[in-house]
PDB file of all heavy atoms in Angstrom:
ATOM      1  N   LEU A 275      -6.313   5.584 -32.479  1.00  0.00           N
ATOM      2  CA  LEU A 275      -6.915   6.875 -32.325  1.00  0.00           C
ATOM      3  C   LEU A 275      -6.464   7.898 -33.363  1.00  0.00           C
ATOM      4  O   LEU A 275      -5.286   7.893 -33.723  1.00  0.00           O
ATOM      5  CB  LEU A 275      -6.639   7.419 -30.914  1.00  0.00           C
ATOM      6  CG  LEU A 275      -7.070   6.567 -29.703  1.00  0.00           C
ATOM      7  CD1 LEU A 275      -6.515   7.125 -28.460  1.00  0.00           C
ATOM      8  CD2 LEU A 275      -8.591   6.367 -29.619  1.00  0.00           C
ATOM      9  N   ALA A 276      -7.327   8.725 -33.823  1.00  0.00           N
ATOM     10  CA  ALA A 276      -6.853   9.754 -34.553  1.00  0.00           C
ATOM     11  C   ALA A 276      -6.450  10.999 -33.701  1.00  0.00           C
ATOM     12  O   ALA A 276      -7.319  11.379 -32.927  1.00  0.00           O
ATOM     13  CB  ALA A 276      -7.895  10.308 -35.556  1.00  0.00           C
ATOM     14  N   GLN A 281      -2.432  17.511 -30.197  1.00  0.00           N
ATOM     15  CA  GLN A 281      -1.559  16.290 -29.947  1.00  0.00           C
ATOM     16  C   GLN A 281      -0.575  16.199 -31.291  1.00  0.00           C
ATOM     17  O   GLN A 281       0.549  15.877 -31.197  1.00  0.00           O
ATOM     18  CB  GLN A 281      -2.334  15.034 -29.871  1.00  0.00           C
ATOM     19  CG  GLN A 281      -3.041  14.880 -28.532  1.00  0.00           C
ATOM     20  CD  GLN A 281      -3.880  13.579 -28.504  1.00  0.00           C
ATOM     21  OE1 GLN A 281      -4.723  13.519 -29.423  1.00  0.00           O
ATOM     22  NE2 GLN A 281      -3.743  12.813 -27.474  1.00  0.00           N
ATOM     23  N   GLY A 307      -6.117  14.785 -18.871  1.00  0.00           N
ATOM     24  CA  GLY A 307      -6.964  14.216 -19.829  1.00  0.00           C
ATOM     25  C   GLY A 307      -6.841  14.833 -21.236  1.00  0.00           C
ATOM     26  O   GLY A 307      -7.662  14.676 -22.116  1.00  0.00           O
ATOM     27  N   SER A 308      -5.825  15.639 -21.467  1.00  0.00           N
ATOM     28  CA  SER A 308      -5.508  16.182 -22.718  1.00  0.00           C
ATOM     29  C   SER A 308      -4.900  15.258 -23.701  1.00  0.00           C
ATOM     30  O   SER A 308      -4.680  15.514 -24.999  1.00  0.00           O
ATOM     31  CB  SER A 308      -4.658  17.437 -22.689  1.00  0.00           C
ATOM     32  OG  SER A 308      -3.316  17.068 -22.130  1.00  0.00           O
ATOM     33  N   GLY A 309      -4.498  14.062 -23.247  1.00  0.00           N
ATOM     34  CA  GLY A 309      -3.912  12.985 -24.132  1.00  0.00           C
ATOM     35  C   GLY A 309      -2.438  13.108 -24.280  1.00  0.00           C
ATOM     36  O   GLY A 309      -1.827  12.695 -25.246  1.00  0.00           O
ATOM     37  N   LYS A 310      -1.748  13.425 -23.062  1.00  0.00           N
ATOM     38  CA  LYS A 310      -0.202  13.396 -22.991  1.00  0.00           C
ATOM     39  C   LYS A 310       0.268  11.951 -23.171  1.00  0.00           C
ATOM     40  O   LYS A 310       1.203  11.825 -23.892  1.00  0.00           O
ATOM     41  CB  LYS A 310       0.234  13.975 -21.732  1.00  0.00           C
ATOM     42  CG  LYS A 310      -0.131  15.388 -21.466  1.00  0.00           C
ATOM     43  CD  LYS A 310       0.479  15.963 -20.248  1.00  0.00           C
ATOM     44  CE  LYS A 310      -0.183  15.258 -18.953  1.00  0.00           C
ATOM     45  NZ  LYS A 310      -1.651  15.717 -18.835  1.00  0.00           N
ATOM     46  N   THR A 311      -0.392  11.073 -22.489  1.00  0.00           N
ATOM     47  CA  THR A 311       0.074   9.664 -22.559  1.00  0.00           C
ATOM     48  C   THR A 311       0.056   9.094 -24.032  1.00  0.00           C
ATOM     49  O   THR A 311       1.054   8.421 -24.394  1.00  0.00           O
ATOM     50  CB  THR A 311      -0.653   8.658 -21.622  1.00  0.00           C
ATOM     51  OG1 THR A 311      -0.772   9.409 -20.332  1.00  0.00           O
ATOM     52  CG2 THR A 311      -0.038   7.334 -21.458  1.00  0.00           C
ATOM     53  N   GLU A 312      -0.869   9.533 -24.734  1.00  0.00           N
ATOM     54  CA  GLU A 312      -0.949   9.115 -26.214  1.00  0.00           C
ATOM     55  C   GLU A 312       0.209   9.656 -26.962  1.00  0.00           C
ATOM     56  O   GLU A 312       0.720   9.047 -27.811  1.00  0.00           O
ATOM     57  CB  GLU A 312      -2.345   9.670 -26.767  1.00  0.00           C
ATOM     58  CG  GLU A 312      -2.864   8.927 -27.846  1.00  0.00           C
ATOM     59  CD  GLU A 312      -3.126   7.428 -27.620  1.00  0.00           C
ATOM     60  OE1 GLU A 312      -3.609   7.094 -26.542  1.00  0.00           O
ATOM     61  OE2 GLU A 312      -2.735   6.570 -28.454  1.00  0.00           O
ATOM     62  N   ARG A 344      -1.087   0.692 -20.395  1.00  0.00           N
ATOM     63  CA  ARG A 344      -1.160   1.163 -21.832  1.00  0.00           C
ATOM     64  C   ARG A 344       0.188   0.951 -22.563  1.00  0.00           C
ATOM     65  O   ARG A 344       0.184   0.725 -23.760  1.00  0.00           O
ATOM     66  CB  ARG A 344      -1.623   2.666 -21.769  1.00  0.00           C
ATOM     67  CG  ARG A 344      -3.088   2.842 -21.579  1.00  0.00           C
ATOM     68  CD  ARG A 344      -3.442   4.188 -21.290  1.00  0.00           C
ATOM     69  NE  ARG A 344      -3.329   5.158 -22.347  1.00  0.00           N
ATOM     70  CZ  ARG A 344      -3.625   6.365 -22.243  1.00  0.00           C
ATOM     71  NH1 ARG A 344      -3.935   6.912 -21.048  1.00  0.00           N
ATOM     72  NH2 ARG A 344      -3.519   7.204 -23.241  1.00  0.00           N
ATOM     73  N   VAL A 462      -9.221  15.839 -24.481  1.00  0.00           N
ATOM     74  CA  VAL A 462      -9.504  15.225 -25.697  1.00  0.00           C
ATOM     75  C   VAL A 462     -10.934  15.104 -25.963  1.00  0.00           C
ATOM     76  O   VAL A 462     -11.777  14.677 -25.032  1.00  0.00           O
ATOM     77  CB  VAL A 462      -8.906  13.714 -25.626  1.00  0.00           C
ATOM     78  CG1 VAL A 462      -9.360  12.882 -26.807  1.00  0.00           C
ATOM     79  CG2 VAL A 462      -7.406  13.708 -25.384  1.00  0.00           C
ATOM     80  N   ASP A 637      -8.244   7.263 -14.376  1.00  0.00           N
ATOM     81  CA  ASP A 637      -9.054   7.670 -15.460  1.00  0.00           C
ATOM     82  C   ASP A 637     -10.354   6.634 -15.385  1.00  0.00           C
ATOM     83  O   ASP A 637     -10.310   5.638 -15.954  1.00  0.00           O
ATOM     84  CB  ASP A 637      -8.329   7.466 -16.815  1.00  0.00           C
ATOM     85  CG  ASP A 637      -9.131   8.028 -17.975  1.00  0.00           C
ATOM     86  OD1 ASP A 637     -10.198   8.597 -17.716  1.00  0.00           O
ATOM     87  OD2 ASP A 637      -8.631   7.765 -19.094  1.00  0.00           O
ATOM     88  N   ARG A 677     -14.141  12.983 -16.893  1.00  0.00           N
ATOM     89  CA  ARG A 677     -13.066  12.877 -17.928  1.00  0.00           C
ATOM     90  C   ARG A 677     -13.770  12.390 -19.177  1.00  0.00           C
ATOM     91  O   ARG A 677     -13.123  12.492 -20.267  1.00  0.00           O
ATOM     92  CB  ARG A 677     -11.946  11.915 -17.475  1.00  0.00           C
ATOM     93  CG  ARG A 677     -11.121  12.580 -16.437  1.00  0.00           C
ATOM     94  CD  ARG A 677     -10.090  11.565 -15.826  1.00  0.00           C
ATOM     95  NE  ARG A 677      -9.119  11.083 -16.834  1.00  0.00           N
ATOM     96  CZ  ARG A 677      -7.948  11.652 -17.022  1.00  0.00           C
ATOM     97  NH1 ARG A 677      -7.655  12.691 -16.266  1.00  0.00           N
ATOM     98  NH2 ARG A 677      -7.157  11.224 -17.929  1.00  0.00           N
TER      99      ARG A 677
HETATM  100  P1  LIG B 901      -3.336  12.591 -20.011  1.00  0.00           P
HETATM  101  O1  LIG B 901      -2.169  11.662 -20.061  1.00  0.00           O
HETATM  102  O2  LIG B 901      -3.028  13.975 -20.597  1.00  0.00           O
HETATM  103  O3  LIG B 901      -4.162  12.642 -18.797  1.00  0.00           O
HETATM  104  P2  LIG B 901      -4.500  10.564 -21.705  1.00  0.00           P
HETATM  105  O4  LIG B 901      -3.455  10.306 -22.634  1.00  0.00           O
HETATM  106  O5  LIG B 901      -4.608   9.547 -20.591  1.00  0.00           O
HETATM  107  O6  LIG B 901      -4.382  12.005 -21.123  1.00  0.00           O
HETATM  108  O7  LIG B 901      -5.870  10.753 -22.483  1.00  0.00           O
HETATM  109  C1  LIG B 901      -7.075  10.773 -21.857  1.00  0.00           C
HETATM  110  C2  LIG B 901      -8.192   9.812 -22.431  1.00  0.00           C
HETATM  111  O8  LIG B 901      -8.336  10.197 -23.730  1.00  0.00           O
HETATM  112  C3  LIG B 901      -7.615   8.360 -22.366  1.00  0.00           C
HETATM  113  O9  LIG B 901      -8.619   7.610 -22.173  1.00  0.00           O
HETATM  114  C4  LIG B 901      -7.093   8.211 -23.755  1.00  0.00           C
HETATM  115  O10 LIG B 901      -7.176   6.849 -24.307  1.00  0.00           O
HETATM  116  C5  LIG B 901      -8.058   9.151 -24.621  1.00  0.00           C
HETATM  117  N1  LIG B 901      -7.406   9.635 -25.784  1.00  0.00           N
HETATM  118  C6  LIG B 901      -6.229  10.333 -25.944  1.00  0.00           C
HETATM  119  N2  LIG B 901      -5.967  10.795 -27.166  1.00  0.00           N
HETATM  120  C7  LIG B 901      -7.145  10.479 -27.900  1.00  0.00           C
HETATM  121  C8  LIG B 901      -7.567  10.797 -29.207  1.00  0.00           C
HETATM  122  N3  LIG B 901      -6.762  11.350 -30.014  1.00  0.00           N
HETATM  123  N4  LIG B 901      -8.696  10.379 -29.597  1.00  0.00           N
HETATM  124  C9  LIG B 901      -9.581   9.755 -28.745  1.00  0.00           C
HETATM  125  N5  LIG B 901      -9.234   9.464 -27.483  1.00  0.00           N
HETATM  126  C10 LIG B 901      -8.090   9.877 -26.999  1.00  0.00           C
END
Side-chain angles (χ1 to χ4, degrees):
L275 305 171
Q281 284 175 312
S308 60
K310 294 185 291 296
T311 311
E312 206 57 43
R344 279 166 75 185
V462 172
D637 187 6
R677 290 169 67 90

